[in-house]
Amino acid sequence: MEKKLLDNSKDDRPKMPNKYLSSIFRRIPIRTVLIVPFIIQLLATVGLVGYLSYRSGQQAVQNLSERLMTEVAERVNLYIQQNLQTAMQINKMNIEAVRSETLDLKNLKEIKQLLWVRLNQFEAVSGVLLGLPDGTFQVMHRSSIEWGNGRIEYSYSDPKRPERFVVFFVDELGNPTEEVFSIDPFPVQERPWYQGAVRDRAPGWTKPFQIGKTLQLAVSNYAPFFDDKGQLQGVFTVNMGLRLIQDFLNTLNICNDCRIVIVDEDGLVLASSLDEKPFVAPDQLNSEGKYHGNFDRLKLTDSNDPVIVAAAVHWQTLATDKNTVTRSQFDLGPEKYWLQLAPLDIEILHPNWTIAIIVPQSEFMAEINANTRITVVFCLLALAIATMLGILTARWITQPILKLNQAAKSMSQGQWHQQTKLESDRRDEVGELAQSFHRMATELQASFETLEQRVEERTVELTESNQQLETAKEKAEVANQAKSTFIANMSHELRTPLNAILGFSQIMMRSPTLSPEEKENTAIINKSGNYLLTLINNILDLSKIEAGKMTLNAKNFDFYSLLNELEDLLHITAENKGLTLIFERQNDVPQYIYTDETKLRQVLINLINNGIKFTSEGGVSVTVVSQKESPLNSLLESQKESHLNSSLEKGKSSEKNPSFERRESNDKATLIFEVRDTGLGIAEDEIPKLFEAFTQTETGKNSQEGTGLGLPISRKFVQLMGGDITVKSKVSKGTTFRFQIQVNVANKTDIEIEQNPRHVIALKPYQPRYKILIVDDRPTNRLLLIKLLQPLGFELKEAENGKQGIE
């Protein structure tokens, strides 16, 4: 035993690191074990609570900022919507005036008066325009501060010279007073709002444009109108200055460092809450101290504000959708910012603008960071207090245990006097442990004195017992060998007369001279002989199984053909009793398999015959499924239960399943069989004895058939094929046997084609006369062969032994 242990230790060398770590943990003092986990648990708990608190506050702040940004975006949307609706409503009113013939398009004075009225009705509008297909157009608009200190200007093109455009100041009644300047040429067909109306033939918006030579932007809403024939009559346009939107953004007080920027579809700035000009302003002014000229539009990345620039760079990395809100965050140095991009979301026709809202996290996270610092301080304070308490508690617990440990070590060395040091006046659990250890040591000292003697006595007894067991084992092996030899010899001796009985009974049944009563008696003899031969074969199989000599003879075969053969073989037996025999298999059951066909056939015949034998009404069903696709329980419960019950009780015959496509694989499969009958059933207390040899149930005894060997042998065969048999039964309800086997899936090309056996009735005519010598020491065997071969036309002679046969 010691040598074996040493060998095992050599085999376990790869596991040495684990053993080394385990030995290290076993050396850790109990004081450390008591203190460290407590401190770790406290630190983890407080840290987790602090972290969750911080995360919860951070999430709350993020939600608050998202609601704030959403609210701001909605307010900006609403304000822009009001202005855009105003422009569109003015165009609708003007077109309605034309359609109702309130306005005559040929009367320039009426057109001028209408444009004057509309401009004074709506202060948010910077200009009202009308362009006609003949090239003429009129404009009434508010001039910029750079051009006339905000006075109203009236512009028109002369019908005689449409390409010349003249600008006048007007008085308080809208009448032109003095000419400001003129532009020649200035055709209306080249105006973006007119080109958009002709192109779209529907209302729309132009891209933002510079108002004159000022640092202000505007956007135009155009609305073409047509006659009954679809011909263009003219285009009304309303200019909206974006300075109002800029002023509105300045009034929004979200937070100190929050920013709102409105950007068009080209990524250019329209307005911002920082009151930043939407142009890249020139470095110098003109001689009058005013900006003068056409300026480049301001991009987000060209802004003077570094936060807006950083947001623009981060924006370019996002996969945004112009129709949905996008939220993200970016860093600028140590500061973190939230960014929300919201489209201009209003129900009316609108330009493709985006509202960008930038909110610094520091505006909301200051208080949370302060709370986090306080939490850390409290955690460290709690950790220090817990460490002190843990040290004191561990010392109070470990001191008596250390004394017990020292006393135990001394007693293991035979120093029994150390137990006197274990006395303690403590009345808690540790004190009780010390006193219990003291009593145990006293009893151990008394027991140790006689332990050696008892061990020696027990060793002598075990030696004698081992010798007796070896002797009994040898006798059992000899007896088992003798039993196997006896069974083999007896089976041979019994087969010889049985062959004669079966042979002569078959010959007699073929005789036409026998009376019906004699044929019946002969049939009984043949049946009894077959029964006795089956009994002998079962006993011989059982003997081989017990001796461990039973092996599998596996081969490739057609499993569907085997099932059809069994159905044809047993169908008549069931039909003679008025029973229904049903064979069903699942679609995915392989057709060609590799296993022991003979043993599988014997198991199925035995189980089906038992079902037919003990069933008087209904029938027997055989179900085969593959475990790969569908479990047997779901198949039987959901698909087969009602069908089998109705079929068995009504006595309807089941058609054979059609052949399915051959499976071209060598995979392994598990076949599950279920043989179910509606017979007498088995009592619950008899089921455990069902698979014992020479044991029959009460139902089997009453039938006066069987030996009690069929089921034990079948179970051994199934176990050889990699499975097992289970049984479920209810008295008067029926019995279900279920077993599974492991098989290999074969191919059709692997199957050996067997020729159908044919029965010999006579020799072919004109054959030479064949002579056959029959040699056997038993006269009955010789006579049987003569009776079988003589009617076929052979010339026969017999001999009693080999010597006589040679002579």
Side-chain angles (χ1 to χ4, degrees):
M1 180 63 70
E2 293 178 355
K3 183 178 181 181
K4 186 176 181 181
L5 291 175
L6 291 174
D7 292 341
N8 290 338
S9 65
K10 293 179 181 179
D11 295 338
D12 292 338
R13 286 182 179 179
K15 300 180 180 179
M16 286 302 293
N18 293 334
K19 291 184 177 181
Y20 179 71
L21 292 176
S22 179
S23 64
I24 292 177
F25 288 131
R26 287 197 296 268
R27 295 174 184 175
I28 297 177
I30 190 172
R31 182 180 303 173
T32 304
V33 174
L34 291 175
I35 296 175
V36 173
F38 177 72
I39 295 176
I40 293 176
Q41 181 180 4
L42 179 63
L43 184 61
T45 302
V46 176
L48 181 61
V49 171
Y51 172 75
L52 292 178
S53 176
Y54 173 77
R55 289 292 300 168
S56 177
Q58 191 179 39
Q59 186 64 36
V61 168
Q62 184 172 355
N63 294 337
L64 177 61
S65 66
E66 289 179 0
R67 289 197 299 269
L68 175 64
M69 291 187 291
T70 301
E71 180 181 353
V72 172
E74 290 176 353
R75 291 179 62 185
V76 174
N77 260 303
L78 180 60
Y79 181 80
I80 297 176
Q81 178 180 6
Q82 291 174 351
N83 286 274
L84 297 182
Q85 283 182 335
T86 299
M88 297 178 68
Q89 186 64 29
I90 293 173
N91 283 333
K92 289 181 181 179
M93 293 168 60
N94 293 339
I95 293 175
E96 186 62 30
V98 174
R99 291 177 178 172
S100 63
E101 298 182 356
T102 305
L103 176 65
D104 185 5
L105 295 178
K106 297 180 180 180
N107 192 329
L108 298 180
K109 186 176 182 180
E110 288 186 6
I111 295 174
K112 176 182 70 66
Q113 191 63 29
L114 176 66
L115 299 181
W116 163 261
V117 172
R118 294 290 188 249
L119 191 63
N120 285 276
Q121 283 179 334
F122 301 95
E123 295 182 356
V125 175
S126 62
V128 183
L129 301 82
L130 172 62
L132 300 177
D134 60 0
T136 63
F137 70 101
Q138 300 186 50
V139 181
M140 189 71 69
H141 70 95
R142 293 182 175 89
S143 64
S144 62
I145 297 177
E146 288 82 355
W147 297 95
N149 298 322
R151 296 176 60 183
I152 296 178
E153 297 175 350
Y154 170 68
S155 307
Y156 73 95
S157 60
D158 190 345
K160 296 180 181 181
R161 292 184 60 189
E163 69 278 3
R164 185 173 183 271
F165 188 71
V166 185
V167 181
F168 296 89
F169 284 129
V170 299
D171 57 17
E172 62 274 5
L173 298 178
N175 298 317
T177 58
E178 59 178 303
E179 181 178 341
V180 181
F181 64 90
S182 63
I183 304 175
D184 189 9
F186 194 72
V188 68
Q189 291 85 355
E190 296 181 1
R191 299 299 92 205
W193 52 269
Y194 191 88
Q195 292 177 347
V198 173
R199 180 188 65 247
D200 300 339
R201 296 183 64 83
W205 293 89
T206 65
K207 289 188 176 182
F209 58 89
Q210 181 180 355
I211 300 177
K213 298 182 181 298
T214 67
L215 294 178
Q216 296 185 23
L217 285 176
V219 65
S220 298
N221 175 252
Y222 52 82
F225 53 95
F226 307 87
D227 58 11
D228 296 338
K229 296 181 180 180
Q231 296 296 324
L232 180 66
Q233 290 184 286
V235 180
F236 278 109
T237 303
V238 176
N239 290 343
M240 296 292 300
L242 301 184
R243 180 65 190 183
L244 296 175
I245 300 177
Q246 178 77 46
D247 296 339
F248 174 74
L249 295 181
N250 293 336
T251 61
L252 295 177
N253 187 14
I254 307 175
C255 61
N256 294 332
D257 293 330
C258 294
R259 294 159 177 83
I260 306 173
V261 184
I262 301 178
V263 184
D264 63 10
E265 62 270 24
D266 296 326
L268 302 176
V269 177
L270 298 176
S272 69
S273 60
L274 299 180
D275 199 15
E276 190 174 18
K277 297 293 183 182
F279 295 95
V280 179
D283 296 333
Q284 297 179 357
L285 304 178
N286 59 13
S287 58
E288 299 178 358
K290 301 177 181 178
Y291 293 114
H292 187 77
N294 295 325
F295 311 126
D296 294 332
R297 293 281 305 280
L298 180 67
K299 298 180 181 179
L300 283 177
T301 53
D302 295 334
S303 174
N304 295 325
D305 182 43
V307 177
I308 295 179
V309 174
V313 174
H314 178 70
W315 186 348
Q316 295 174 358
T317 64
L318 300 177
T320 59
D321 186 355
K322 64 180 181 178
N323 297 322
T324 59
V325 176
T326 302
R327 294 188 180 93
S328 181
Q329 66 177 8
F330 65 93
D331 299 336
L332 180 59
E335 186 67 54
K336 294 182 180 295
Y337 291 86
W338 283 302
L339 172 64
Q340 175 175 296
L341 305 175
L344 198 60
D345 186 15
I346 52 181
E347 298 179 356
I348 62 173
L349 179 68
H350 61 82
N352 185 17
W353 296 349
T354 301
I355 304 172
I357 303 175
I358 306 170
V359 177
Q361 295 186 15
S362 59
E363 291 287 334
F364 304 93
M365 295 295 294
E367 185 174 353
I368 292 180
N369 293 331
N371 292 335
T372 302
R373 289 191 292 270
I374 295 174
T375 303
V376 172
V377 172
F378 276 111
C379 288
L380 295 177
L381 182 60
L383 178 62
I385 296 174
T387 303
M388 294 299 299
L389 292 177
I391 293 174
L392 295 176
T393 303
R395 183 176 181 182
W396 182 74
I397 293 175
T398 57
Q399 285 297 330
I401 296 178
L402 292 175
K403 292 181 179 180
L404 287 175
N405 183 33
Q406 184 61 38
K409 290 180 180 179
S410 300
M411 285 186 290
S412 65
Q413 298 174 1
Q415 301 175 7
W416 299 99
H417 63 279
Q418 292 289 338
Q419 59 178 307
T420 57
K421 299 180 180 180
L422 299 178
E423 297 180 359
S424 175
D425 56 353
R426 293 178 56 166
R427 294 294 180 263
D428 56 2
E429 290 81 358
V430 178
E432 293 178 359
L433 176 62
Q435 295 184 9
S436 299
F437 191 88
H438 178 73
R439 290 193 297 269
M440 180 195 68
T442 303
E443 295 175 359
L444 185 62
Q445 183 178 5
S447 301
F448 185 76
E449 297 174 356
T450 58
L451 181 60
E452 257 187 55
Q453 182 179 357
R454 292 182 181 179
V455 170
E456 292 177 359
E457 294 175 355
R458 186 59 180 166
T459 302
V460 174
E461 293 176 0
L462 289 176
T463 303
E464 294 176 355
S465 298
N466 290 335
Q467 293 176 354
Q468 294 175 359
L469 288 175
E470 289 292 336
T471 304
K473 180 180 178 181
E474 293 176 358
K475 292 181 179 179
E477 290 178 354
V478 172
N480 189 33
Q481 182 66 32
K483 181 190 73 172
S484 299
T485 303
F486 173 76
I487 291 176
N489 293 334
M490 286 302 299
S491 64
H492 174 72
E493 294 298 326
L494 291 175
R495 285 173 189 271
T496 301
L498 274 177
N499 287 333
I501 293 172
L502 294 175
F504 281 107
S505 62
Q506 291 175 2
I507 294 173
M508 292 177 64
M509 285 189 293
R510 298 176 185 173
S511 175
T513 60
L514 289 179
S515 64
E517 182 178 359
E518 290 174 340
K519 286 186 177 182
E520 181 180 356
N521 294 336
T522 304
I524 293 174
I525 293 172
N526 185 267
K527 181 178 180 181
S528 299
N530 279 321
Y531 173 72
L532 185 56
L533 182 61
T534 302
L535 176 61
I536 293 172
N537 290 334
N538 288 341
I539 293 175
L540 187 59
D541 288 341
L542 185 63
S543 176
K544 289 181 179 179
I545 292 173
E546 290 178 350
K549 297 180 179 180
M550 183 63 68
T551 59
L552 284 178
N553 297 318
K555 68 174 184 177
N556 298 314
F557 64 93
D558 190 338
F559 181 53
Y560 289 4
S561 177
L562 173 63
L563 295 178
N564 294 336
E565 176 187 339
L566 293 178
E567 184 175 4
D568 294 338
L569 177 67
L570 301 172
H571 181 72
I572 297 176
T573 306
E575 195 175 52
N576 291 338
K577 292 188 66 175
L579 303 177
T580 300
L581 180 60
I582 299 175
F583 275 72
E584 294 193 1
R585 66 174 180 268
Q586 197 177 6
N587 294 357
D588 60 349
V589 173
Q591 182 174 357
Y592 306 103
I593 61 175
Y594 177 81
T595 188
D596 194 326
E597 180 183 11
T598 303
K599 291 183 174 57
L600 178 59
R601 178 188 286 107
Q602 185 172 344
V603 172
L604 289 173
I605 291 176
N606 185 32
L607 296 178
I608 298 171
N609 273 331
N610 284 348
I612 296 174
K613 183 192 307 181
F614 299 114
T615 302
S616 57
E617 294 181 358
V620 179
S621 68
V622 181
T623 305
V624 187
V625 301
S626 176
Q627 201 175 28
K628 285 186 177 180
E629 297 286 340
S630 174
L632 179 63
N633 291 338
S634 62
L635 173 70
L636 298 177
E637 293 176 3
S638 62
Q639 298 181 2
K640 303 298 181 184
E641 188 71 29
S642 59
H643 170 67
L644 292 178
N645 287 337
S646 61
S647 298
L648 293 176
E649 294 178 1
K650 293 181 180 180
K652 296 180 180 180
S653 62
S654 173
E655 297 180 359
K656 297 180 181 179
N657 290 338
S659 298
F660 297 94
E661 183 179 356
R662 179 169 59 89
R663 297 173 49 170
E664 298 290 346
S665 67
N666 292 323
D667 297 333
K668 295 190 182 221
T670 300
L671 299 183
I672 305 177
F673 299 80
E674 184 174 277
V675 180
R676 178 182 173 202
D677 63 65
T678 58
L680 300 176
I682 304 171
E684 186 176 355
D685 57 343
E686 293 181 331
I687 291 180
K689 303 178 181 179
L690 200 59
F691 295 101
E692 296 180 5
F694 302 103
T695 302
Q696 288 185 294
T697 62
E698 195 64 30
T699 304
K701 294 177 182 177
N702 294 335
S703 69
Q704 298 182 353
E705 296 184 19
T707 61
L709 291 177
L711 288 178
I713 293 175
S714 297
R715 187 175 195 179
K716 293 295 184 181
F717 284 174
V718 170
Q719 290 174 347
L720 280 175
M721 289 184 282
D724 201 359
I725 297 180
T726 59
V727 58
K728 292 183 180 179
S729 181
K730 289 185 179 180
V731 179
S732 302
K733 297 292 184 181
T735 304
T736 300
F737 285 91
R738 182 181 303 165
F739 69 93
Q740 74 278 357
I741 61 173
Q742 305 294 327
V743 301
N744 289 337
V745 180
N747 296 321
K748 184 177 181 180
T749 55
D750 301 331
I751 307 302
E752 297 179 1
I753 301 176
E754 298 182 357
Q755 301 293 337
N756 293 328
R758 293 180 292 178
H759 298 284
V760 179
I761 58 175
L763 291 175
K764 186 177 181 180
Y766 308 109
Q767 295 289 320
R769 189 163 185 81
Y770 293 98
K771 297 179 182 181
I772 298 178
L773 176 64
I774 300 173
V775 182
D776 198 300
D777 58 346
R778 295 179 180 270
T780 54
N781 291 347
R782 299 198 303 271
L783 181 59
L784 175 61
L785 292 175
I786 291 173
K787 292 291 185 180
L788 291 174
L789 299 176
Q790 194 170 29
L792 303 179
F794 293 103
E795 182 179 347
L796 304 175
K797 285 189 178 183
E798 57 179 312
E800 295 180 357
N801 50 51
K803 180 179 179 182
Q804 187 178 2
I806 293 174
E807 292 175 355

